[in-house]
Amino acid sequence: MSRDELAVALRGREFDANGSRDLFDLAEALLAADSLDTAISRLDRPHLAVLAAAATIASADGGFEDAALLAELERLDADDSIRRTLDELVADLEGRLLIVAGEHRRHVPAPIAGRLIPRLGADLPDPADLAAPAPRVLEPVDPVDRRLLDRLGAEAAYSTVAATAELISALGLQPARELAKGGLSLPDAKRLAEATGVELERLPRVFQRAVEAGLVARDGAYWLESDRGGSWVMESAAGRWRRLAECWLDRIPPTLRELVARRSDTLSATAFRDDVRWLYPAGGRWLDEGLERLADDAEALGLAVGGEPVDAARLVVAGELDGAAAQLAARFPPQVERVYLQHDLTVVAPGPLAPAIDARLRGFADLEARDLAATYRVSAASVNRALAAGESAESLLAFLESISLTGVPQPLDYLVHEAARRFGSVRVTAASETDAPARASIRSDDAQLITTLEVDQALTPVALRRVGEHRLLSRFAPDVVFWALSDARYPVAAEDADGRIVRLQRHHLAATPAPVEKSDPVDELLDRVLEHGDGPATEQAWLARQLEAAARAKETLTVTVHMPGGQTADYLLAPASVANGRLRARDRKADIERTLPLSAIAAVGPAPAE
């Protein structure tokens, strides 16, 4: 094989490449039982049928001819599609290093046949069953009310989209810590579960879907909203769902997508699983785990209800994501752009708010209740948060007026103006060098307010230290002190060295990680094992490897040796050791010990049968 052909073949196999120093180590790794079992389990039924037929008819040396393989498949009454695509199937098996092309014949290596043949008719179908045509797809009367399934599927899809959006919003307010052993810390997991409205045990799947879609990203030990997540939450509900469904589709192998198309409208979860297990009879655990995960996500995305797929599932698997999104979104609750402003300082949205309105409203109001009709509450602290981000009383009231169905109540108007008047009563800035080791300085014209800050137990973590009637110092950074005061509901503002108010953003968006360009382990492996190239040295190394293996196994071999005059002679030898280019072995016939240079050995073969 050329280097490129070998690289393609190795990328399709699973084996331990780290211990391979040369081609012989690589051969042993590829023929290890675990590697062969994994390769066989990944074969679909047509490939498995051809490999089983080839292994069955192979001669003692594992060889077979193409005509004999075709005749065996005809004897087994193989499906026409297998016989029609036989050349492609054999080429694929060669590409996976399960069949080897010789000069005149093809071969099934003995370890491969040894792992496959004992399983035929036991935990695998026999060759005739493997080569049989696919079972017909029946057309039963569907007793399920498809309209009900579509409605329930749309509800599940909308709930998943809404929960994912709340997850991203919660991470935007406060990142979540990743434990050293993996997984979110329990306090953060509970906080996110409450924010998303899902059970704690279901949160990992919601979180994992967000990770796979690139909506959240890890920055050091913390998970944050990614820049892609920031764009995603501004999309429509249909656009949000489409992105999640696209990630789900990417995890489905193309062959499984063809099965869905084959079943068409009669697809059901049970029939689909039966189809998959029929197509991959050696699949085993990897197949079951993959199906379970795909089914779980399909339920969450509204593509299946109680194991029964909805119409949108067929569209998604066929690649028609836009059509599926439009079909589901037609049953989503309609978005609204107007709200009710209440005298008790609450904001009631009679339906899901448009993303842009929801995002701005969350900037100065806290979400109290999430449902189709969400409730937000405006407080002095939440208004102060918006003012610190650059809003003004006028901009806030103008926005509220534009979205209100009931005008702006007087209590709300008073709260906003009063918060704006008091905003900046406490100022936080970087401490001067003369204040070292302090890093933040807190000042206020109100001495009583400074006294209150000094004794406030909620501010103990930032270690405020009074240095004057109107001033405090802290050894923490200014932004840390600022947000501590903001969380404690003080009218705090950040300022620069010249006394100008500056905007602070609590948590930055993590950049969506670009695919990391990793070194190709297959290329590194080939650089290592092909270092010495091909030629006499490789042939001699192969002889040495065979003799070493026979010595370890205490086997007897037929060794063909070059004699003076150009003739050869066969010796029945039991190798003892190979060192310094020489073989030390016991001659079974003469019952003497012989030492031969490896360069004198023409060939090595098995001992004749007794």
Side-chain angles (χ1 to χ4, degrees), residues 28-377:
E28 288 183 357
L30 291 171
L31 292 175
D34 289 345
S35 177
L36 292 179
D37 289 342
T38 300
I40 291 172
S41 73
R42 266 34 177 206
L43 293 178
D44 60 22
R45 203 175 190 96
H47 288 87
L48 200 55
V50 172
L51 182 61
T56 302
I57 66 170
S59 59
D61 64 352
F64 66 91
E65 296 178 352
D66 292 349
L69 177 58
L70 180 59
E72 175 66 10
L73 290 172
E74 290 176 347
R75 186 188 71 80
L76 295 172
D77 196 20
D79 183 43
D80 288 341
S81 64
I82 294 179
R83 284 182 276 183
R84 188 171 57 252
T85 60
L86 181 59
D87 291 342
E88 291 88 343
L89 293 172
V90 171
D92 286 345
L93 291 169
E94 288 179 358
R96 302 184 195 202
L97 302 175
L98 298 175
I99 287 180
V100 181
E103 186 174 353
H104 302 293
R105 311 169 75 202
R106 303 183 197 276
H107 298 265
V108 178
I112 296 175
R115 300 302 298 178
L116 176 60
I117 291 179
R119 299 178 61 185
L120 299 175
D123 64 315
L124 291 178
D126 60 33
D129 287 339
L130 288 173
R136 291 188 176 184
V137 177
L138 302 178
E139 300 287 345
V141 176
D142 191 352
V144 181
D145 185 348
R146 289 289 165 183
R147 291 173 299 176
L148 176 60
L149 289 184
D150 290 343
R151 186 165 63 251
L152 294 175
E155 291 177 3
Y158 185 82
S159 296
T160 296
V161 169
T164 306
E166 292 297 340
L167 173 73
I168 294 172
S169 296
L171 291 176
L173 290 175
Q174 182 178 344
R177 185 166 62 91
E178 174 87 0
L179 298 175
K181 62 182 180 180
L184 299 176
S185 67
L186 184 59
D188 284 328
K190 289 181 176 179
R191 173 176 62 86
L192 294 177
E194 182 180 357
T196 56
V198 301
E199 296 83 1
L200 185 61
E201 58 271 16
R202 297 289 298 173
L203 178 67
R205 285 302 311 131
V206 177
F207 192 84
Q208 185 60 32
R209 278 192 290 270
V211 172
E212 291 170 350
L215 307 181
V216 300
R218 187 173 173 180
D219 186 0
Y222 289 89
W223 287 96
L224 294 82
E225 173 188 0
S226 71
D227 50 6
R228 181 181 294 172
S231 302
W232 181 84
V233 295
M234 300 304 291
E235 294 184 26
S236 65
R240 296 176 181 180
W241 179 88
R242 189 190 187 285
R243 174 61 185 159
L244 298 179
E246 187 177 19
C247 293
W248 178 81
L249 180 63
D250 288 342
R251 296 197 302 271
I252 303 180
T255 310
L256 300 190
R257 301 183 201 178
E258 295 172 6
L259 285 176
V260 176
R262 188 172 80 85
R263 287 226 169 243
S264 187
D265 292 332
T266 64
L267 175 69
S268 72
T270 302
F272 182 51
R273 289 171 188 269
D274 289 345
D275 255 357
V276 173
R277 291 192 176 94
W278 177 88
L279 185 65
Y280 291 93
R285 181 177 177 183
W286 73 269
L287 189 63
D288 290 336
E289 290 178 351
L291 285 173
E292 285 299 325
R293 182 176 175 190
L294 288 176
D296 182 67
D297 283 352
E299 294 273 349
L301 293 173
L303 299 176
V305 177
E308 288 292 334
V310 301
D311 290 340
R314 181 171 49 84
L315 294 176
V316 170
V317 177
E320 300 176 22
L321 289 167
D322 291 333
Q327 189 177 97
L328 281 171
R331 297 180 179 273
F332 285 175
Q335 291 183 345
V336 300
E337 297 183 352
R338 308 296 293 276
V339 299
Y340 295 98
L341 302 183
Q342 311 272 51
H343 284 73
D344 63 355
L345 304 180
T346 58
V347 180
V348 179
L353 276 175
I357 295 176
D358 177 70
R360 188 170 181 189
L361 187 58
R362 287 173 186 253
F364 64 91
D366 298 316
L367 182 66
E368 276 197 340
R370 71 184 64 82
D371 210 329
L372 295 182
T375 303
Y376 306 78
R377 179 170 294 279

Side-chain angles (χ1 to χ4, degrees), residues 2-3 6-7 10 15-30 521-535 537-538 541 545:
S2 70
R3 178 188 172 109
L6 183 55
L10 294 178
F15 61 97
D16 182 11
N18 295 326
S20 298
R21 301 180 306 277
D22 53 33
L23 282 169
F24 312 115
D25 288 334
L26 176 59
E28 288 183 357
L30 291 171
V522 171
D523 283 340
E524 293 179 353
L525 169 66
L526 292 179
D527 288 340
R528 186 166 63 249
V529 302
L530 299 178
E531 180 179 359
H532 303 295
D534 201 357
T538 302
R545 182 63 65 96

Side-chain angles (χ1 to χ4, degrees), residues 487-565:
D487 290 342
R489 301 178 181 274
Y490 288 100
V492 60
E495 64 181 9
D496 58 17
D498 297 325
R500 292 189 297 264
I501 292 180
V502 296
R503 300 180 182 181
L504 290 183
Q505 187 174 4
R506 186 160 198 166
H507 301 298
H508 67 278
L509 294 181
T512 301
V516 178
E517 293 186 5
K518 298 181 180 178
S519 58
D520 190 336
V522 171
D523 283 340
E524 293 179 353
L525 169 66
L526 292 179
D527 288 340
R528 186 166 63 249
V529 302
L530 299 178
E531 180 179 359
H532 303 295
D534 201 357
T538 302
E539 292 296 329
Q540 193 174 86
W542 173 231
L543 285 174
R545 182 63 65 96
Q546 290 177 288
L547 294 169
E548 289 171 353
R552 289 194 302 268
K554 302 185 183 305
E555 293 178 346
T556 300
L557 300 175
T558 299
V559 180
T560 303
V561 181
H562 292 291
M563 305 298 291

